Amino acid sequence: MSIFDGFRFRSVSSSIHQMDPRAKFLYVCVLFAVTVMFNQLIPLFILFFIQIPFVIVARVEKEWLRSMKGSALFAVIIFIMNLLSLYLYGAYASLASILERSLAMTVRFIVLVESFSVFFLTTSPDLLGLALEQSRVPYELCFAFTTAVRFVPVLAEEAQTIMDAQKARGLELEGGNFVKRIRNYIPILIPLIVNAIRRS
């Protein structure tokens, strides 16, 4: 579950880590709003590349690359689903416009994953909770948010444990075509969902 590694806080001495969590949270919210506004490829690519210096300054390149690699499967699914839905039900005249639109939706997803990955890698949940409390955000909302942030790495570790257990029983995750690979993840998702409900 390498995608979740990019959402786990890393304690590194850098100027990005030392920034006020509220400023980083505001930055992510603004970036989210701007990303959703654009449907064209060039602005989305610009939004993707302007975040790379933050990753380098924060010194979290390896974890960021893991999150990008982990989101590749979801990006492919988003591209295929958009391509099929626009081709079958969209009002686009040419295949090139359909491909461009589908690629734009995929890049939008990658930009969102990238921005939230940078935020969570460089922001301590404790400091974020304290900063939100100091901003007069109700304690219940601060607690719920920080608990959800802490729940992601726990869920990732549990998913990895379930994957290792299923591999030990002979489950093949990497073999077969695309549809077979998706079906192979069903024995992992069901116990993961059940355990998540129990934890919550």
Side-chain angles (χ1 to χ4, degrees), residues 70-133:
S71 62
L73 175 64
F74 296 103
V76 170
I77 293 171
I78 288 170
F79 178 77
I80 293 171
M81 295 303 293
N82 273 281
L83 191 67
L84 291 175
S85 61
L86 291 173
Y87 182 75
L88 296 174
Y89 306 109
Y92 291 91
S94 64
L95 183 62
S97 59
I98 293 173
L99 284 169
E100 184 180 354
R101 173 79 173 180
S102 303
L103 189 59
M105 295 298 103
T106 308
V107 175
R108 176 189 283 176
F109 166 74
I110 293 170
V111 170
L112 291 174
V113 171
E114 177 189 35
S115 59
F116 281 101
S117 175
V118 173
F119 173 72
F120 286 117
L121 280 170
T122 60
T123 308
S124 168
D126 296 331
L127 292 177
L128 180 61
L130 288 171
L132 290 174
E133 281 185 53

Side-chain angles (χ1 to χ4, degrees), residues 2-15:
S2 58
I3 188 172
F4 291 110
D5 289 336
F7 293 92
R8 187 183 303 176
F9 172 67
R10 298 291 191 276
S11 182
V12 179
S13 178
S14 73
S15 56

Side-chain angles (χ1 to χ4, degrees), residues 33-99:
V34 173
T35 304
V36 171
M37 283 170 54
F38 287 106
N39 293 326
Q40 295 82 20
L41 277 173
I42 293 174
L44 290 170
F45 275 123
I46 292 170
L47 289 171
F48 176 82
F49 286 113
I50 62 171
Q51 297 182 76
I52 294 176
F54 292 102
V55 175
I56 295 168
V57 172
R59 294 187 290 169
V60 289
E61 298 94 338
K62 290 181 181 178
E63 293 81 8
W64 176 76
L65 284 171
R66 280 199 208 107
S67 68
M68 292 293 101
K69 183 181 175 184
S71 62
L73 175 64
F74 296 103
V76 170
I77 293 171
I78 288 170
F79 178 77
I80 293 171
M81 295 303 293
N82 273 281
L83 191 67
L84 291 175
S85 61
L86 291 173
Y87 182 75
L88 296 174
Y89 306 109
Y92 291 91
S94 64
L95 183 62
S97 59
I98 293 173
L99 284 169

Side-chain angles (χ1 to χ4, degrees), residues 176-188:
N177 57 17
F178 181 72
V179 176
K180 191 174 189 316
R181 286 185 183 183
I182 293 175
R183 286 181 181 172
N184 288 342
Y185 277 94
I186 293 173
I188 293 166

